[in-house]
Amino acid sequence: MPPETVQPELPNQLNAWKDDEAALLESLEQIEQKHGFIPRHIAEEISRVLEVKLDRLRKLQTKVESNVRKEVDALVAKWKDEEGSLILILHEIENQHGYVPREIAMEVSHALGVKLARIYEVLTFYHYFKLKPPGRHNMAICLGTACYLKGAPAMLAEAKMHLKVEEGCTTPDREWHLDVVRCIGCCGMSPAMVVDGKTYGRLNATDVPRLIAQTTQPKASS
Amino acid sequence: MNKLKFTDLEKYSKTMADSGLNWIRVSMDTGGIAAGADTVCTIFEKGVGTLGFGVEVRRVGSLGYSFADPLVEIAREGMPRIVYGHVDDNAAREILEQHLAGRRLLDDHVLAWRNRSLAFDGPTTYILVKDTSTEKGDKTQFFQFSLAEELKRCNLQDKVQVVRALDMGVYDEGVAVQFLPSKVTYTNVLAPDIARIVKTSVQGKKVIDDLLYKKPDKQVRVVMRNCGKFDPENFQDCLRYGVYQGLVRVLSGMKPEDVIAELKTSGLRGRGGAGFPTWLKWQITRAVQRTPKYIICNGDEGDPGAYMDRSVLEGDPHSVLEGLIIAAYAIGATRGYFYIRAEYPLAVRRVEKAIVEARAAGLLGENILGSGFSFDAKVRLGAGAFVCGEETALIASIEGKRGSPSPRPPYPSERGLFGQPTAINNVETLAAVPAILVRGGAWYSEFGAEKSRGTKVFAVTGKVRNPQLVEVPLGVTLRDIVFDICGGVLGGKAIKAVQTGGPSGGVIPEHLLNTKVSYESLQELGSIMGSGGMIVMDQDDSMVEVSRFYLRFCVDESCGKCAPCRIGGYQMLQILNRVARGRGEKGDLDRLRAISKAMQKASLCGLGQTAPNPVLSALRYFEPEFKAYLEGGVSYARKMSAGRPAEPVAAEPANA
C-alpha cells in the first residue's frame, strides 16, 4: 500500500517532469530507493504524461519530415537538368546542415530514384561529406606538408589534450569538433588551422588553448 | 551589361588602366584574408575619405609574397610605388597618416623591388636599407642612422628619407640598400661606404660599380601576370588590363588549327604534373569526330603544399576562363566545366561570378562575339578526394559518382565525360594560353630550357625563410629558387633536401640543388615537377618521418579499387612504421623496394604508380638514415639524422 507521505509530492514534481526527463528519472530512483518499488498511481500518472508528450513529439516529427521532403524536392528540382547532379545536391545539404543526415539521404534516394547504397557509396568516398553532426564550434588543423614540418602535430596534440577528444570526434557536450585537413592552401603562413570557418596562420602550440578560450567566450575576452 | 563587341573590347583595353594617380591595392586572397586583410581594407576605405584627395581602394589578388601577408601596394602622386608587407591594423592607420598624408614611408614594412635597375634615372627620394646577413647582430638600425646623419651633413635630410625595409629580395649579401624611385640596389655595404654613397649616388646620381647588385630578377610573370593588379570581381577592370584580348585574336580570324599551331610553337606542356604537350592533347581531341565534346579545367589542387592554382583562380579568374574558351574553340567543345576543390570557397565564388559576368557580356553562350562559336561553362565542386586530380577519376566525380579511376585506354580524348571526347587542362596551363595567343608562341618558347619551355609557378614552403609563390622560366636551378629568391632556410640552419611533386614526387638532396628544373631533370632524380609544390627541409627533419608522412597520405587517399595500391601502400606503411619505432627487421629496406616496384608497375592510376616515389627517393639519397633506425634504434637514429648530409657518392654513381 502506498504510504501517505508520497501522495502530496506528486503534483508539485509533475510540472518539472514534463520538461526534464533527467529530473524525472532521478525522482523515480529516489522513490524507488525509499519504497523499494514505484507506487502504482505514480507510475500511471507518468505514463499518461508521457503519452501526451510522445503524441506531441510525433506531430513535431511529421512536421519536420514534411519539411525535409520539401527541402529535398526543392533541391532536386533545382538541379534536375544537370547530368550527374547527385554530388551537387549533397554539397548543398552538407553546407546547410554541416553534415548529411540519414533521413535526408533517404529522401534524396526517393526523389532521385537512386538506391540509398549508391548515395552512401558517394558519401563515404569523399572526405568533405560528414555523416555525423558537427559541434557548435569546429576546429580543423591543417596537416599539409608545410604545416606538418612546422609544428602542426604539436598543435594537434595540444588541441586533443585541451578538448579531450581524438581527431575526427566531437566532445560529448557537442561543443567542439576536432578535425584534421589536408592542406587548406595557406602554406605561406603555416602552420594554419580553421576555427569556425576563419583561418588562422603562423601559429604555435601555445596559441591553441588561447584560440579555444577565445572562441568559447568571444565577448568575455574582448 | 550589354553584349560586347570586338570594338568594345578594344576600346576597354586602350583605356588607361591606372588612370587614378592615387590608389591602394590590398591583396585579398585566402592567405591575405586569413592574415587580416579584410579589416585592413576597411580601415583604408574609411580612412581615405578624410585625406582630402581622391584615393581608390582596390581589393586585388595576391602578389605571391605569402610570407608578408597582408600585402598592400600603394601609389601616391609624386612618390614611387611601394609594396608594404605585414600590414596590421596599426600599420594601416600609420600608412594613411604618414605615407598618404605625410609622404613618409613606414619603417619595417616595405618590400624592396625585385626588378632592380642598373642606373639612376632621376633624383633619389627614398633609400631602403636592411642587413640581409643571417649572422647575429642586426646592423640595419646603425646604417639607417648613419645614412640619415650623412644626409643631414649634406643638407639633404628633407629631400631623402632613409627607411628600414622588411625584405630586400637579396639574401646573405651584407647590408643592402635600394634607392627609390630608380630601384638601383647596392649590397655588402660597409660603414666607410656611406659617405661616398651619399656623395656619388644620391648627389651625383652615379652608380658605384663595386657595390652594385647586378644579378637580374629571375622571376618572370606569365601565369601570374594579372595577380595583384586589379580587382578580380570588377569585370571592367579586368577588361582594361587586357583580359580577353587573346580570345579577341582567336575569334577574329584564327582557325582552330592555327590556335593549335601557335601552342605547338610555344612548347607549352601540361602544368598539372605529367607534362603532356598541350597542343597534342587538343589536336587528338579535335580529331575525334563525335560531338558534343567537353573541356574541363582541373582545379582540384589536392597536393599538400601547393597553392598556386588557388591563387590564380582567386586573383585572375577571367584569364583562366578565357583560356578555357580558347581551348574549347580549338578542340570544338560546346560545354566546359571548372572542377574546383570545395576547400577553396573564395576561388569557387570568384569563378562563378566570372562566369556570370562573361555570360552577361556575351563572352559565353550562343554566338560568342558574333563569330558563330557557342560555348558555355559551369563550376563543379570537388569533395576532398586527392585521387580526383587524376583525369578519369575527375570525370567520374563530375558525373556524380565515386571518384575511382578507370583504366586507360580509352583515353578521355576518346571517351571522357559522359562517354564523349574530353580534354582536361590544369588551371595554370589554361592561364598561360591567353598570354601565348596575345604575345605569340615564339615569345613564350624563349623562356625555358630544352624540352621544357615557358614558365612555371612554384609554391615554395616549409622551412624556408620567405615562403611564397615564385614564377620562373624552366631551367633555373633549385638553388636559385630556394636561396636567391626565397632567402634560404629559416633560422639559418643547414638545408637537407627539397621535396618536389608532393605525394607523387621525391626528395632532392642538398648536393643536387644545382639541377636545372625541368620535367625530365627532376624525373631523372627520382622526383617529379608535379603541380609545383616545393618544400624545403632542414637538418632537423627526419627523412624516415617525411616518407612516412607522404605514404600515409597516399594510403589514406587510395580509392581502394586496385590491389597494388590498396594493399601495397598499406604494407609499405606497416614496414615504415616498424622501422620508425626501432623494430625494423633486416630485409625491410629491400622489401620496401620490392613492393614499390610492384606498385609502380601494376597500379591502375597515377596515384598508386607514384605513391612509392617519396619512399624510394628517400631511400636513394638518405639510406643511412633508414639504416640508423635498423642498426641503432630510435634515439641513435634521431641523433644521426640531425647532422648527416646525404651521401653524394651513393647518389651519383657517375661521379664516383
Side-chain angles (χ1 to χ4, degrees):
Chain A
M1 222 36 289
E4 270 85 287
T5 44
V6 180
Q7 214 86 28
E9 276 180 43
L10 182 64
N12 294 341
Q13 282 186 0
L14 253 182
N15 280 332
W17 293 349
K18 274 180 189 158
D19 302 314
D20 191 351
E21 286 78 14
L24 172 62
L25 203 67
E26 207 176 295
S27 309
L28 280 180
E29 265 164 19
Q30 275 173 11
I31 293 169
E32 208 176 356
Q33 257 176 13
K34 209 164 166 186
H35 306 287
F37 64 96
I38 296 171
R40 191 176 170 160
H41 71 281
I42 295 183
E44 272 172 0
E45 184 61 19
I46 290 169
S47 320
R48 197 184 60 78
V49 172
L50 284 184
E51 203 56 53
V52 174
K53 198 163 177 156
L54 275 177
D55 195 47
R56 259 186 287 156
L57 284 178
R58 266 188 219 106
K59 271 186 196 144
L60 218 67
Q61 200 182 10
T62 6
K63 193 88 196 150
V64 170
E65 266 175 8
S66 73
N67 210 35
V68 165
R69 199 164 303 139
K70 252 187 251 162
E71 186 188 323
V72 170
D73 284 345
L75 280 180
V76 171
K78 181 173 169 192
W79 297 108
K80 76 170 186 296
D81 295 331
E82 281 286 316
E83 285 175 280
S85 58
L86 179 58
I87 291 182
L88 292 170
I89 293 172
L90 294 178
H91 261 293
E92 292 224 4
I93 296 168
E94 167 84 29
N95 289 346
Q96 212 159 50
H97 297 263
Y99 73 115
V100 182
R102 195 174 170 85
E103 326 56 285
I104 296 190
M106 281 158 83
E107 212 37 69
V108 170
S109 148
H110 277 300
L112 281 181
V114 176
K115 291 204 170 60
L116 190 62
R118 267 269 288 127
I119 292 179
Y120 270 78
E121 179 189 76
V122 170
L123 278 178
T124 50
F125 181 81
Y126 296 101
H127 298 302
Y128 190 80
F129 300 125
K130 309 262 183 301
L131 298 178
K132 285 186 189 149
R136 204 156 74 86
H137 301 296
N138 295 284
M139 174 181 281
I141 296 179
C142 179
L143 273 191
T145 324
C147 296
Y148 181 83
L149 288 177
K150 284 177 120 175
M155 273 164 39
L156 180 61
E158 189 77 17
K160 276 189 198 171
M161 201 180 80
H162 275 270
L163 299 176
K164 301 189 184 66
V165 282
E166 283 298 302
E167 63 217 61
C169 295
T170 313
T171 51
D173 58 0
R174 288 262 179 91
E175 271 293 295
W176 280 94
H177 182 83
L178 177 65
D179 233 330
V180 294
V181 289
R182 301 283 193 202
C183 201
I184 44 174
C186 289
C187 315
M189 40 198 304
S190 55
M193 67 159 93
V194 183
V195 180
D196 288 348
K198 193 172 179 324
T199 312
Y200 297 86
R202 301 194 189 105
L203 301 166
N204 58 42
T206 51
D207 291 324
V208 176
R210 188 176 55 78
L211 271 175
I212 293 174
Q214 184 186 318
T215 314
T216 323
Q217 314 134 330
K219 291 278 150 5
S221 64
S222 62
Chain B
M1 188 168 191
N2 292 329
K3 303 260 185 230
L4 294 171
K5 296 192 190 71
F6 282 122
T7 44
D8 297 327
L9 281 166
E10 204 181 321
K11 203 171 71 201
Y12 269 119
S13 74
K14 283 192 178 136
T15 335
M16 259 303 281
D18 279 324
S19 52
L21 289 165
N22 303 312
W23 46 252
I24 303 175
R25 293 173 180 165
V26 186
S27 282
M28 296 278 276
D29 66 327
T30 302
I33 292 170
D38 229 342
T39 50
V40 167
C41 200
T42 328
I43 290 172
F44 282 133
E45 277 164 353
K46 278 190 192 147
V48 289
T50 59
L51 286 171
F53 52 87
V55 181
E56 211 180 321
V57 181
R58 293 186 190 145
R59 295 159 185 254
V60 301
S62 173
L63 282 168
Y65 305 125
S66 322
F67 62 93
D69 274 328
L71 283 167
V72 172
E73 189 176 356
I74 295 182
R76 170 88 170 87
E77 197 186 351
M79 279 172 79
R81 271 207 239 164
I82 297 291
V83 180
Y84 283 113
H86 289 312
V87 181
D88 52 12
D89 302 359
N90 282 334
R93 287 189 202 101
E94 278 179 48
I95 287 172
L96 280 170
E97 260 173 50
Q98 288 193 30
H99 185 122
L100 287 167
R103 292 179 179 271
R104 293 187 64 78
L105 305 190
L106 257 67
D107 277 327
D108 301 320
H109 285 285
V110 183
L111 300 186
W113 290 98
R114 268 70 172 159
N115 52 349
R116 297 168 276 268
S117 94
L118 299 177
F120 288 96
D121 52 4
T124 301
T125 47
Y126 300 93
I127 302 177
L128 304 178
V129 55
K130 177 156 172 75
D131 186 357
T132 62
S133 57
T134 40
E135 291 157 35
K136 281 206 177 116
D138 192 350
K139 302 190 200 76
T140 312
Q141 286 224 310
F142 167 74
F143 272 81
Q144 183 194 22
F145 177 76
S146 316
L147 269 167
E149 283 298 300
E150 183 65 24
L151 288 167
K152 208 182 273 175
R153 212 177 57 80
C154 302
N155 232 347
L156 284 166
Q157 73 270 32
D158 297 331
K159 291 193 182 125
V160 185
Q161 188 200 352
V162 187
V163 185
R164 293 195 301 272
L166 174 70
D167 179 80
M168 292 300 284
V170 285
Y171 305 96
D172 295 313
E173 293 279 358
V175 174
V177 293
Q178 184 170 68
F179 302 89
L180 293 177
S182 52
K183 300 178 192 169
V184 171
T185 307
Y186 290 168
T187 53
N188 292 312
V189 177
L190 300 173
D193 296 325
I194 288 175
R196 62 175 178 140
I197 285 176
V198 172
K199 193 162 187 304
T200 320
S201 298
V202 180
Q203 289 180 314
K205 292 177 205 156
K206 287 209 179 62
V207 169
I208 302 174
D209 207 50
D210 55 315
L211 294 175
L212 186 65
Y213 189 77
K214 288 174 196 152
K215 275 196 203 167
D217 183 22
K218 293 204 172 66
Q219 296 210 50
V220 177
R221 302 224 152 170
V222 177
V223 172
M224 292 172 66
R225 60 193 177 279
N226 292 331
C227 290
K229 280 198 187 151
F230 55 77
D231 183 353
E233 299 193 33
N234 184 338
F235 187 46
Q236 255 131 42
D237 250 12
C238 297
L239 296 178
R240 277 194 205 105
Y241 274 88
V243 181
Y244 293 110
Q245 288 304 308
L247 184 67
V248 166
R249 193 177 155 218
V250 167
L251 292 185
S252 56
M254 279 177 94
K255 284 207 257 333
E257 290 80 11
D258 301 337
V259 177
I260 292 174
E262 192 75 64
L263 273 151
K264 190 175 179 182
T265 321
S266 78
L268 176 68
R269 292 165 67 180
R271 294 290 188 242
F276 192 77
T278 306
W279 70 270
L280 192 56
K281 188 180 267 181
W282 290 5
Q283 194 173 55
I284 294 169
T285 319
R286 176 165 184 77
V288 181
Q289 290 301 320
R290 282 177 303 130
T291 50
K293 291 177 191 171
Y294 295 101
I295 174 92
I296 299 174
C297 169
N298 184 353
D300 189 51
E301 187 176 47
D303 172 359
Y307 59 104
M308 63 289 288
D309 290 355
R310 191 212 72 199
S311 211
V312 173
L313 285 173
E314 284 177 1
D316 194 11
H318 278 285
S319 287
V320 185
L321 179 59
E322 184 189 1
L324 192 80
I325 303 171
I326 293 172
Y329 179 73
I331 65 170
T334 47
R335 264 166 73 187
Y337 289 93
F338 281 91
Y339 187 81
I340 307 174
R341 286 182 79 188
E343 288 88 339
Y344 292 169
L346 188 64
V348 171
R349 209 191 72 210
R350 289 196 177 153
V351 172
E352 275 175 347
K353 191 156 187 282
I355 290 177
V356 170
E357 284 165 342
R359 199 176 287 140
L363 295 166
L364 277 177
E366 298 289 318
N367 195 8
I368 296 171
L369 291 172
S371 64
F373 168 61
S374 301
F375 173 73
D376 210 344
K378 279 179 192 150
V379 174
R380 282 298 169 93
L381 298 186
F386 176 64
V387 71
C388 285
E390 201 278 341
E391 51 184 18
T392 55
L394 190 153
I395 286 171
S397 182
I398 293 186
E399 289 171 349
K401 300 183 201 142
R402 272 173 94 98
S404 304
S406 42
R408 298 179 302 179
Y411 286 92
S413 51
E414 183 69 34
R415 295 186 71 81
L417 190 61
F418 307 120
Q420 294 297 323
T422 306
I424 299 163
N425 287 111
N426 179 262
V427 170
E428 223 186 305
T429 318
L430 289 177
V433 166
I436 291 171
L437 284 154
V438 168
R439 307 188 65 171
W443 163 78
Y444 190 75
S445 74
E446 273 170 31
F447 304 110
E450 292 153 36
K451 281 195 242 161
S452 305
R453 313 306 310 184
T455 63
K456 170 89 189 86
V457 184
F458 291 99
V460 189
T461 60
K463 303 275 183 72
V464 67
R465 194 188 316 185
N466 290 339
Q468 59 181 299
L469 290 180
V470 170
E471 183 167 358
V472 286
L474 289 165
V476 303
T477 66
L478 286 164
R479 195 178 291 278
D480 284 339
I481 296 175
V482 175
F483 285 88
D484 285 3
I485 300 177
C486 297
V489 181
L490 192 72
K493 284 186 181 160
I495 190 169
K496 188 182 239 174
V498 175
Q499 208 277 354
T500 66
S504 311
V507 287
I508 294 165
E510 199 265 337
H511 67 270
L512 292 175
L513 287 187
N514 289 330
T515 313
K516 290 184 171 172
V517 179
S518 70
Y519 292 101
E520 288 78 20
S521 68
L522 292 186
Q523 227 154 35
E524 270 166 39
L525 297 178
S527 182
I528 59 165
M529 191 153 80
S531 56
M534 207 172 256
I535 289 139
V536 179
M537 294 166 187
D538 70 11
Q539 60 201 46
D540 298 343
D541 296 317
S542 155
M543 286 301 129
V544 181
E545 275 306 312
V546 168
S547 39
R548 221 157 61 112
F549 169 82
Y550 281 116
L551 196 60
R552 202 179 308 137
F553 181 89
C554 287
V555 170
D556 283 350
E557 294 294 337
S558 168
C559 75
K561 186 168 176 176
C562 71
C565 175
R566 182 182 67 233
I567 301 171
Y570 185 71
Q571 289 304 322
M572 282 178 75
L573 188 60
Q574 295 291 310
I575 296 174
L576 266 182
N577 282 341
R578 190 160 78 202
V579 170
R581 277 205 311 271
R583 297 286 172 95
E585 289 158 20
K586 206 165 158 250
D588 272 351
L589 299 188
D590 291 329
R591 218 163 286 140
L592 282 175
R593 287 197 178 95
I595 302 175
S596 299
K597 207 165 187 183
M599 283 177 75
Q600 286 176 330
K601 285 246 154 86
S603 293
L604 187 61
C605 78
L607 183 108
Q609 286 160 9
T610 57
N613 282 0
V615 183
L616 277 181
S617 71
L619 272 174
R620 180 165 160 192
Y621 299 117
F622 298 94
E623 192 170 343
E625 279 193 29
F626 288 82
K627 282 202 171 140
Y629 274 98
L630 293 179
E631 286 158 5
V634 180
S635 59
Y636 168 73
R638 289 214 178 115
K639 239 178 272 165
M640 289 295 290
S641 82
R644 185 170 205 139
E647 306 268 318
V649 187
E652 276 183 312
N655 292 2

